[in-house]
């Protein structure tokens, strides 16, 4: 205890130093406060008269005028997002001598229960007398006119007009179109418009990606107001410049049919690309949500409930879902091997049901083995061992280079936000991520689209579109603008004979006996579907047990990529069913049905509209077909199971 | 000196050690806030004035509650709290709440908060803990200067990425101010000044376009009188037209006519000064001066470095907050969105300030505690 009384020398030293520094900092504070005082003296005393004058002039107030947000329409002009006027009635306490009376009078014009009236009065009494209280947000035009007409006899009641975003066909295209919401404080950019109360900006999907085009330019209104803020007169006005419309490449009706077909699965996505133009005709993802639900006004608990719904309906799986592409990736491996000259078309590889590398056994999906397989059969029957061997010959870098040429591991400037990039691994990536070196076995797995490889349904559709056309197809959701010319895509620079060989394998997979994609076949005579199944393994358990008995979340993803018609490709399709099971049994029938829908609708053959070049010509479908419509080869009959006809393709 | 001073004290005795003058000046500033908020709402307690008053009371209870905890509790909590705040900052940057778009906020259940606010208190705790019992010879050695610089720089960079220039500036100045108080050699500060002058152009290139525009507009408000320069011009007109005696309580025209943005939060000083005039505004400045003086006195009466630095951190923090806000509304620095402590309406900033003042009070209540570096080992 005694020791505690001894003078603590180190603290003395520290205390002394701290004191000196405190004095220094204190002096700085005195300077700071002095500067503030001097500044206030300058503003409030020295320059008082000039600011007082400015303050008087300030009674000329300037109001910003919000521009009309551009509409979003589909390729045929069907409106998907538009603006509607919302008519509101508000009560201003300071202008109402008798609130109860005026509300009773108002209840003759619009439905207004006693409880609501009481609630409005209570709220009005709780807050500042000049702040308006909302009576209703949903007046129809007639009610709005009635109230305005009787305004002199309804003191304290005011009407207002506010713009509101409205979404149509949200159940089908909600995830593509996205939605708007209030501006976050951090998101304020240079545009003073964003400071306008009630302004909203795109939060997801096309609404977000095309914000600049849709928003428009704000106008200004100069008003003269008196000291109480009442408007004396309007001085001048610059009209706001409305945002420009966005015309999507989507065919809403077709997309709805695809969504309805996908709805039988828990979580699934499908993409249809027009091979010639790169236009995305269908971008479907289930589960989905309707942005109109949010636009109508949503409370916090409702929002949370919506977000908690099973399967996360806010994710657009077509662009943000990342899946191992599985056997659909064999197109990449095949083309890489052919181009590098590492395999001949007729070269046969023995498949005993497994492949051995450095003591590890890699199994083929068919345990019994395929025997001797060449490229055509390997693609047709999806022989894993053949592609294990190709991958081993190629190495991961060659596979990766081809994958990137075919559109993997990139996002596209196509008019929609929140695209996932997917992943094409290489040794540097692995070292950076896990600090481990690359193993040969991982190359083997990458060769059949397993392991680290990830791709989005969009990327898989791009891949098959590029293989089908031999060109560098760039996907887009935006119809070209009026007056712009659309150039043809650059060639892929892969020798036609290699592409032809792979295409042959894809045709075989659907149409020849033994093909894995037989269930995608449509009895159409000459117009064939070409495609490739994929079954990507989610967990090791799935390799041991068969689908039905396995818990849902461990089941394999079912995939299919394909194009149609095989002899003159027009549509490229990719389908992913999360935990759907086998690609051949689950995804291939989806391909068949989607092709059936495509045959009926044939969106590429019907006249689509162009995006307006300026805001002035907003809305109104401007029919102008620019691209030569695709027509079925003569002699093709109507289809079987789906009853799809080709009549409307003649237009 | 009595022996009791060094023994764990009963609660009743700790109560008497509270600095009542600090509580009083907090009350005075908050009361000014209530008056101003009443006027902003056109003579109505709702929606701001009454809630501000209630929050002040809760805040005072919070200060006393925090002060009653043993100082060693805060000493032990210092680093964990700092790393927690750092983790939350990272979480908000990479995870965040993506759907609604905001990157500053993090949500846990129904509560949502800004990790950068926690960091303000956590940084003070961490630096005070770092300098506790460090002997004088070490303080200015490069390595021992580098560590606290890192402790400051990491959260500052994370907050800048959000992007939140105002909070980053406050974190940096509080951190550097504490290093200054702790006794780091003045040469470092001189060198830093030179370095900043040299690095200016690089920082400029990395600012967001809206931040650049705020600075450019600040230099020339007429550049965009209706856009980003709007705030500054309107605020100066309101202040200037207030004159010596002001337009009178609830008589402000600029603020009433909605020329002023965010007049209940960041621009509350303008609105108060317009109505109360130069007399009112320097009276408010005097109240702040009192608060700073009390805090400086509190720091100097402590017998351990941890207490001193806790109070010092709060002292600098409150000072920087108020000065940046006043400089901003008078057009001396660009608009950065910093509230006026204790006067501006806003639950988050109120909570942070009260928490910071609470730890300062805790340091003061335990001013005779002897904390040494050797204590740390026993504790942990």
């Amino acid at each position: 205890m005694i020791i505690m009384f001894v003078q603590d020398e180190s603290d003395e030293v520290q205390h002394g130093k701290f004191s000196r520094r405190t004095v220094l900092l204190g002096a700085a504070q005195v300077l700071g406060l002095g500067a503030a005082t001097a500044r206030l003296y300058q503003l409030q005393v020295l320059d008082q008269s000039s600011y007082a004058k400015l303050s008087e002039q300030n009674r000329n107030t300037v109001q910003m005028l919000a521009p009309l947000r551009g509409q979003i329409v589909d390729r045929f002009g069907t409106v998907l997002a538009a603006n509607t006027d919302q008519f509101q009635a508000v009560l201003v306490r300071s202008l109402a001598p008798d609130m109860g009376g005026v509300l009773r009078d108002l209840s003759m014009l619009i439905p207004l229960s006693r409880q609501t009236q009481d609630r409005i009065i209570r709220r009005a009494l709780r807050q500042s007398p000049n702040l308006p209280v909302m009576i209703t947000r949903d007046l129809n035009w007639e009610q709005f006119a009635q109230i305005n007409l009787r305004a002199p006899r309804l003191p304290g009641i005011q009407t207002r007009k506010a713009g509101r975003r409205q979404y149509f066909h949200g159940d089908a295209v909600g995830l593509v179109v996205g939605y708007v919401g209030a501006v976050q404080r951090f998101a304020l950019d240079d545009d003073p418009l964003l400071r306008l109360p009630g302004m909203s900006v795109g939060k997801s999907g096309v609404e977000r990606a095309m914000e600049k085009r849709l928003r428009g330019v704000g106008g200004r209104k100069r008003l003269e107001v008196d000291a109480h803020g009442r408007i004396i007169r309007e001085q001048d006005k610059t009209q706001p410049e409305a945002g420009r419309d966005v015309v999507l490449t989507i065919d809403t009706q077709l997309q709805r049919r695809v969504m309805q077909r996908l709805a039988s699965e828990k979580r699934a996505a499908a993409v249809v690309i027009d091979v010639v133009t790169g236009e995305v005709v269908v971008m479907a993802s289930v589960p989905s949500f309707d942005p109109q639900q949010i636009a109508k006004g949503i409370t916090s608990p409702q929002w949370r409930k919506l977000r908690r719904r099973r399967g996360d309906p806010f994710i657009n799986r077509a662009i943000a879902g990342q899946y191992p592409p599985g056997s659909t990736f064999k197109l990449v491996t095949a083309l890489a091997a052919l181009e590098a000259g590492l395999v001949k078309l007729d070269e046969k590889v023995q498949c005993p049901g497994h492949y051995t590398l450095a003591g590890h056994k890699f199994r083929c999906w068919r345990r019994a083995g395929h025997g001797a397989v060449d490229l055509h059969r390997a693609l047709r029957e999806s022989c894993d061992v053949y592609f294990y061997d190709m991958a081993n010959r190629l190495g991961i870098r060659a596979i990766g280079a081809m994958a990137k040429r075919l559109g993997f591991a990139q996002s596209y400037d196509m008019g929609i936000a929140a695209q996932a990039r997917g992943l094409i691994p290489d040794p540097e990536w692995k070292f950076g991520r896990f600090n481990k070196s690359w193993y040969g076995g991982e190359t083997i797995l990458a060769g059949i689209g397993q392991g680290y490889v990830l791709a989005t349904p969009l990327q898989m559709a791009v891949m098959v579109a590029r293989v089908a056309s031999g060109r560098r197809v760039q996907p887009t959701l935006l119809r070209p603008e009026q007056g712009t010319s659309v150039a043809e895509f650059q060639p892929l620079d892969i020798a036609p004979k290699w592409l032809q060989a792979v295409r042959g394998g894809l045709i075989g997979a659907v149409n020849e006996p033994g093909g894995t994609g037989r269930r995608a076949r449509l009895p159409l005579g000459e117009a064939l579907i070409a495609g490739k199944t994929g079954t990507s393994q989610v967990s090791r358990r799935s390799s041991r047990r068969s689908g039905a008995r396995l818990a849902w979340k461990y089941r394999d993803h079912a995939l299919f990529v394909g194009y149609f018609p095989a002899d003159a490709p027009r549509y490229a399709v990719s389908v992913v069913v999360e935990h759907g099971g086998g690609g051949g049994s689950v995804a291939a029938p989806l391909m068949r049905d989607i092709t059936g829908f495509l045959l009926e609708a044939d969106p590429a053959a019907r006249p689509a509209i162009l995006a307006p070049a300026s805001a002035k010509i907003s809305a109104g479908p401007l029919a102008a077909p620019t691209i030569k419509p695709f027509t079925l080869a003569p002699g093709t009959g109507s289809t079987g199971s789906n009853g799809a006809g080709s009549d409307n393709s003649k237009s | 000196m009595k022996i009791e001073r060094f023994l764990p004290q009963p609660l009743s005795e700790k109560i008497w050690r509270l600095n009542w003058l600090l509580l009083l000046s907090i009350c005075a500033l908050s009361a000014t806030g209530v008056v101003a908020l009443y006027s902003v709402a056109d003579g109505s307690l709702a929606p701001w004035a009454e809630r501000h008053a209630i929050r002040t009371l809760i805040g005072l209870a919070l200060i006393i509650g925090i002060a009653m905890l043993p100082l060693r509790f805060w000493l032990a909590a210092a680093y964990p709290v700092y790393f927690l705040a750092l983790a939350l900052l990272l979480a908000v940057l990479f995870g965040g709440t993506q759907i609604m778009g905001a990157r500053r906020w993090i949500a846990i259940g129904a509560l949502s908060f800004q990790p950068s606010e926690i960091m303000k208190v956590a940084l003070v705790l961490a630096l005070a803990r770092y300098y506790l019992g460090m002997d004088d010879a070490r303080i200015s050695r490069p390595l021992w200067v580098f560590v606290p610089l890192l402790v400051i720089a990491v959260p500052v960079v994370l907050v800048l990425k959000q992007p939140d220039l105002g909070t980053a500036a406050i974190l940096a100045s509080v951190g550097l101010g504490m290093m200054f108080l702790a006794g780091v050699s003045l040469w470092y500060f001189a060198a830093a000044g030179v370095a900043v002058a040299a690095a200016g152009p690089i920082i400029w290139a990395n600012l967001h376009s809206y931040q650049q525009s705020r600075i450019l507009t600040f230099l020339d408000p007429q550049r965009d009188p209706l856009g980003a320069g709007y705030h500054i011009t309107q605020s100066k007109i309101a202040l200037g037209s207030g004159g010596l005696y002001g337009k009178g309580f609830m008589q402000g025209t600029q603020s009433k006519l909605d020329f002023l943005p965010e007049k209940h939060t960041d621009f509350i000083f303008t609105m108060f000064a317009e109505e109360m005039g130069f007399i009112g505004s320097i009276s408010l400045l005097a109240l702040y001066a009192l608060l700073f003086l009390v805090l400086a006195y509190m720091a100097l009466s402590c017998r351990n470095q941890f207490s001193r630095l806790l109070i010092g951190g709060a002292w600098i923090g409150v000072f920087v907050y108020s000065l940046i806000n006043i400089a901003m509304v008078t057009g001396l620095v660009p608009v950065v969105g910093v509230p006026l402590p204790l006067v501006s309406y806003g639950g988050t900033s109120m909570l942070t300030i009260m928490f910071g003042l609470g730890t300062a009070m805790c340091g003061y209540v335990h001013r005779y505690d002897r904390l040494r570096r050797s204590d740390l080992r026993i504790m942990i």
Side-chain angles (χ1 to χ4, degrees), chain A residues 69-88:
Chain A
R69 194 173 172 84
Q71 299 190 18
I72 300 176
V73 303
D74 84 349
R75 63 185 297 123
F76 302 124
T78 310
V79 177
L80 305 179
N83 308 290
T84 50
D85 283 331
Q86 189 185 42
F87 300 113
Q88 309 172 333

Side-chain angles (χ1 to χ4, degrees), chain B residues 89 104 114-120 159 162 164 167 171:
Chain B
L89 272 181
R104 278 181 199 172
Q114 299 184 15
S116 56
E117 293 292 324
I118 300 178
M119 184 45 89
K120 287 175 192 162
V159 169
Q162 288 186 350
D164 186 349
T167 302
L171 283 176

Side-chain angles (χ1 to χ4, degrees), chain B residues 37-48:
Chain B
L37 289 169
Y38 179 80
S39 168
V40 171
D42 258 341
S44 166
L45 284 175
W48 299 308

Side-chain angles (χ1 to χ4, degrees), chain A residues 15-244:
Chain A
H15 192 247
K17 196 160 193 175
F18 186 91
S19 305
R20 288 193 295 278
R21 292 287 170 100
T22 303
V23 170
L24 278 176
L25 212 54
Q29 291 193 348
V30 170
L31 281 179
L33 287 173
T37 309
R39 177 66 170 172
L40 286 168
Y41 183 76
Q42 183 199 2
L43 288 174
Q44 298 198 284
V45 180
L46 296 181
D47 298 344
Q48 196 261 338
S49 56
S50 63
Y51 281 116
K53 220 173 282 166
L54 278 175
S55 157
E56 283 303 310
Q57 282 170 12
N58 224 334
R59 306 257 159 89
N60 294 333
T61 173
V62 175
Q63 280 181 2
M64 299 263 345
L65 300 172
L68 208 60
R69 194 173 172 84
Q71 299 190 18
I72 300 176
V73 303
D74 84 349
R75 63 185 297 123
F76 302 124
T78 310
V79 177
L80 305 179
N83 308 290
T84 50
D85 283 331
Q86 189 185 42
F87 300 113
Q88 309 172 333
V90 294
L91 172 71
V92 182
R93 172 152 67 105
S94 58
L95 302 177
D98 174 17
M99 286 198 287
V102 77
L103 284 177
R104 233 173 295 126
D105 291 347
L106 187 66
S107 68
M108 309 286 179
L109 299 175
I110 59 170
L112 201 63
S113 69
R114 286 240 30 118
Q115 291 97 310
T116 320
Q117 292 180 28
D118 291 343
R119 212 185 51 232
I120 291 165
I121 293 175
R122 273 202 306 276
R123 188 174 304 161
L125 289 172
R126 260 209 313 274
Q127 66 179 30
S128 152
N130 287 333
L131 284 178
V133 183
M134 188 62 65
I135 298 172
T136 171
R137 289 175 191 278
D138 294 303
L139 294 175
N140 58 37
W141 169 249
E142 204 171 314
Q143 293 167 333
F144 181 71
Q146 287 275 336
I147 295 173
N148 283 339
L149 194 67
R150 283 160 216 223
R153 274 184 277 158
L154 295 169
I157 305 291
Q158 289 179 349
T159 52
R160 299 172 159 194
K161 212 169 83 172
R164 183 171 63 173
R165 197 74 164 159
Q166 194 169 6
Y167 295 98
F168 305 93
H169 306 289
D171 54 332
V173 293
L175 277 173
V176 178
V177 171
Y179 56 93
V180 296
V183 187
Q184 301 282 344
R185 198 172 166 193
F186 80 90
L188 295 175
D189 57 25
D190 277 347
D191 192 345
L193 249 190
L194 294 186
R195 296 172 198 278
L196 204 64
M199 188 71 193
S200 47
V201 293
K203 294 286 182 177
S204 76
V206 173
E207 288 271 34
R208 177 159 150 207
M210 300 307 291
E211 173 65 28
K212 281 264 147 68
R213 183 184 169 97
L214 288 165
R215 188 190 296 163
V217 182
R220 266 156 202 188
K221 185 163 73 171
R222 293 212 308 159
L223 299 168
E224 198 174 319
V225 294
D226 68 10
H228 301 287
R230 279 188 296 244
I231 296 162
I232 294 167
R233 65 193 169 95
E234 193 178 302
Q235 291 180 317
D236 59 2
K237 193 170 179 179
T238 331
Q239 287 293 350
E241 194 180 316
R244 283 182 290 164

Side-chain angles (χ1 to χ4, degrees), chain B residues 204-224:
Chain B
W204 175 259
N206 279 310
L207 287 177
H208 282 252
S209 66
Y210 85 93
Q211 289 167 332
Q212 291 188 348
S213 124
R214 277 180 178 180
I215 293 172
L216 282 178
T217 316
F218 158 70
L219 295 173
D220 178 16
Q222 295 310 314
R223 199 172 76 97
D224 183 12

Side-chain angles (χ1 to χ4, degrees), chain A residues 75 247 479-484 486 608-613 620 622-626:
Chain A
R75 63 185 297 123
V247 181
R479 287 280 298 157
E481 209 166 78
Q482 281 165 345
T484 56
V486 183
I609 64 169
L610 292 169
L622 301 137
T626 48

Side-chain angles (χ1 to χ4, degrees), chain A residues 1 3-8 10-15 17-19 21-26 28-30 32-33 35-37 39-41 43-45 47-49 51-52 54-56 58-62 64 93 126-131 179 184-186 188-190 192 195 203 208 220 225-230 303-304 307 312 314, chain B residues 1-3 6-7 41-42 44 46 99-104 131 133-134 136 162-163 179-181 183-186 189 209-210 213 226-227 231 234 236-237 239-244 247 253-254 257 259 262 266 269 273 277-278 281-282 285 289 292 296 299-300 302-305 308-309 315-316 319 323 326 330-332 337 370 372:
Chain A
M1 276 301 150
I3 297 163
M4 287 189 156
F5 288 96
V6 173
Q7 190 71 24
D8 186 344
S10 79
D11 190 59
E12 277 305 302
V13 173
Q14 284 189 342
H15 192 247
K17 196 160 193 175
F18 186 91
S19 305
R21 292 287 170 100
T22 303
V23 170
L24 278 176
L25 212 54
Q29 291 193 348
V30 170
L33 287 173
T37 309
R39 177 66 170 172
L40 286 168
Y41 183 76
L43 288 174
Q44 298 198 284
V45 180
D47 298 344
Q48 196 261 338
S49 56
Y51 281 116
L54 278 175
S55 157
E56 283 303 310
N58 224 334
R59 306 257 159 89
N60 294 333
T61 173
V62 175
M64 299 263 345
R93 172 152 67 105
R126 260 209 313 274
Q127 66 179 30
S128 152
N130 287 333
L131 284 178
Y179 56 93
Q184 301 282 344
R185 198 172 166 193
F186 80 90
L188 295 175
D189 57 25
D190 277 347
R195 296 172 198 278
K203 294 286 182 177
R208 177 159 150 207
R220 266 156 202 188
V225 294
D226 68 10
H228 301 287
R230 279 188 296 244
W303 168 256
R304 275 198 290 274
R307 287 206 59 197
D312 207 339
F314 288 95
Chain B
M1 273 196 249
K2 289 182 183 168
I3 192 162
F6 308 113
L7 296 175
D42 258 341
S44 166
I99 299 270
M100 289 303 269
R103 267 179 299 158
R104 278 181 199 172
Y131 280 114
M134 182 179 292
D136 207 42
Q162 288 186 350
M179 289 175 71
F180 178 80
L181 284 180
V184 175
S185 167
L186 290 173
F189 293 92
S209 66
Y210 85 93
S213 124
L226 290 175
H231 293 8
Q234 293 304 323
K236 275 159 72 176
I237 293 174
L239 279 167
S241 62
L244 187 57
K247 295 178 180 168
T253 55
Q254 291 307 106
L257 292 185
F259 291 121
E262 300 173 56
D266 294 356
F269 185 88
F278 181 62
S281 54
I282 55 165
L285 280 190
F292 306 148
L300 291 176
C302 293
R303 305 296 304 167
N304 68 69
Q305 189 77 343
R308 279 195 293 267
L309 284 173
W315 181 47
I316 300 166
F319 174 76
L323 205 73
I326 292 170
T330 52
L332 286 173
R370 289 185 164 218
R372 312 280 288 281

Side-chain angles (χ1 to χ4, degrees), chain A residues 238-391:
Chain A
T238 331
Q239 287 293 350
E241 194 180 316
R244 283 182 290 164
D245 291 356
V246 168
V247 181
L248 299 185
T249 56
I250 298 285
D251 176 345
T252 308
Q253 294 313 322
L254 183 62
Q255 167 127 342
R256 167 165 290 122
R257 296 192 68 183
V258 173
M259 293 280 278
Q260 279 163 352
R261 177 64 183 84
L262 289 185
S264 58
E265 310 295 340
K266 278 185 186 164
R267 301 172 192 183
V271 175
V272 178
I273 294 180
D274 181 332
V275 169
V276 177
T277 62
E279 292 183 351
V280 176
V281 182
V282 171
M283 180 183 276
S285 169
V286 292
S288 172
F289 78 103
D290 186 347
Q292 181 62 14
Q293 276 183 289
I294 294 169
K296 273 191 304 192
I298 189 167
T299 62
S300 226
Q302 280 175 324
W303 168 256
R304 275 198 290 274
K305 201 173 141 200
L306 210 59
R307 287 206 59 197
R308 268 204 303 271
R309 225 158 53 180
R310 280 186 79 86
D312 207 339
F314 288 95
I315 292 180
N316 185 349
R317 295 179 153 70
I319 52 167
Q322 304 190 88
Y323 309 93
S327 300
T328 63
F329 196 73
K330 288 173 183 171
L331 273 69
V332 173
T333 313
L335 281 174
L338 286 171
E339 190 177 48
L342 294 172
V343 67
K344 290 202 185 70
L345 283 177
D346 54 357
E347 184 180 335
K348 291 205 159 78
V349 171
Q350 271 301 323
C351 168
H354 59 82
Y355 181 79
T356 314
L357 181 82
H360 285 281
K361 235 184 193 179
F362 295 88
R363 289 193 180 280
C364 182
W365 67 270
R366 181 187 278 177
R367 297 286 161 92
H370 288 88
V373 283
D374 60 4
L375 177 88
H376 184 83
R377 216 186 130 204
L379 280 169
R380 182 178 75 200
E381 292 167 32
S382 200
C383 175
D384 292 335
V385 167
Y386 182 89
F387 290 99
Y388 290 149
D389 195 12
M390 293 307 123

